[in-house]
């Protein structure tokens, strides 16, 4: 809406909205850690750990691999994308919805499983980000020989801000 209504969107406005969004995201994760981790760990059971491991590996990576089938991306790229994404706040939102609608014991189980999975994701992906990114970068650099360039080496076009066409409607 902002992009459609703003005339020549100033860079300062875009920088502010980006910074505000990141600050709000950090606030959500802070609140998540401050309010949900201790209660969830009180209801922790070993099946939650199995669920977390499966959610961070097979359940997360298999759909990414299927979605990227036929793109020409090599296995290292598919593995890298599968390991580090997609992620987001959706699991926290779904956990809160489940906790609100389920009876107490079931809500505690769901909360424990989701919180453990998110906590494991933050720790494991945080610890592996730098070494795996360096390893993946080295892998791509080694593939720069003529005839070995894959889709990973394609330059991405710069995207313009979207417009909803509001200004065009006013001109009529």
């Amino acid at each position: 809406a902002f992009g459609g209504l703003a005339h020549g969107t100033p860079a300062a406005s875009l920088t502010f909205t980006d910074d505000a969004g990141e600050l709000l995201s950090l606030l959500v994760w802070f609140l998540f850690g401050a309010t949900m981790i201790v209660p969830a760990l009180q209801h922790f059971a070993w099946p939650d750990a199995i669920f977390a491991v499966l959610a961070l590996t097979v359940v997360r990576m298999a759909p990414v691999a299927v979605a990227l089938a036929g793109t020409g991306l090599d296995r290292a790229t598919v593995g890298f994308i599968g390991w580090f994404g997609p992620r987001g706040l959706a699991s926290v939102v779904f956990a809160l919805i489940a906790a609100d609608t389920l009876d107490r014991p079931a809500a505690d189980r769901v909360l424990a499983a989701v919180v453990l999975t998110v906590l494991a994701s933050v720790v494991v992906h945080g610890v592996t980000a730098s070494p795996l990114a360096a390893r993946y970068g080295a892998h791509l650099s080694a593939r720069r020989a003529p005839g070995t360039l894959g889709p990973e080496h394609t330059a991405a076009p710069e995207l313009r801000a979207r417009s909803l066409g509001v200004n065009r409607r006013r001109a009529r």
Side-chain angles (χ1 to χ4, degrees):
F2 177 77
L5 296 173
H7 301 285
T9 307
S13 294
L14 294 177
T15 301
F16 171 75
T17 56
D18 187 49
D19 291 345
E22 189 161 334
L23 178 64
L24 291 173
S25 177
L26 291 172
L27 179 64
V28 166
W29 290 115
F30 173 78
L31 291 174
F32 168 80
T35 61
M36 295 178 77
I37 290 177
V38 171
L41 292 179
Q42 291 172 342
H43 300 284
F44 168 76
W46 67 268
D48 301 329
I50 293 172
F51 174 82
V53 169
L54 289 173
L56 295 177
T57 55
V58 178
V59 174
R60 182 183 198 163
M61 296 175 81
V64 171
V66 169
L68 294 175
T71 61
L73 297 172
D74 71 2
R75 284 183 157 174
T77 300
V78 172
F80 188 80
I81 293 170
W83 179 247
F84 287 111
R87 298 191 303 230
L89 295 173
S91 55
V92 175
V93 172
F94 292 144
L96 292 174
I97 291 170
D100 189 46
T101 56
L102 295 172
D103 61 331
R104 192 76 262 147
D108 292 341
R109 301 282 334 124
V110 169
L111 219 55
V114 171
V115 169
L116 181 65
T117 303
V118 170
L119 182 61
S121 175
V122 168
V123 172
V124 172
H125 291 113
V127 168
T128 61
S130 185
L132 289 181
R135 187 173 172 185
Y136 178 68
H139 168 75
L140 283 186
S141 294
R143 290 192 55 205
R144 287 195 165 263
T148 62
L149 296 179
E152 297 88 346
H153 293 94
T154 304
E158 186 171 327
L159 299 175
R160 296 180 317 128
R162 286 186 177 178
S163 173
L164 299 175
V166 174
N167 295 334
R168 281 181 263 149
R169 283 188 221 134
R170 283 188 194 155
R172 290 183 192 164

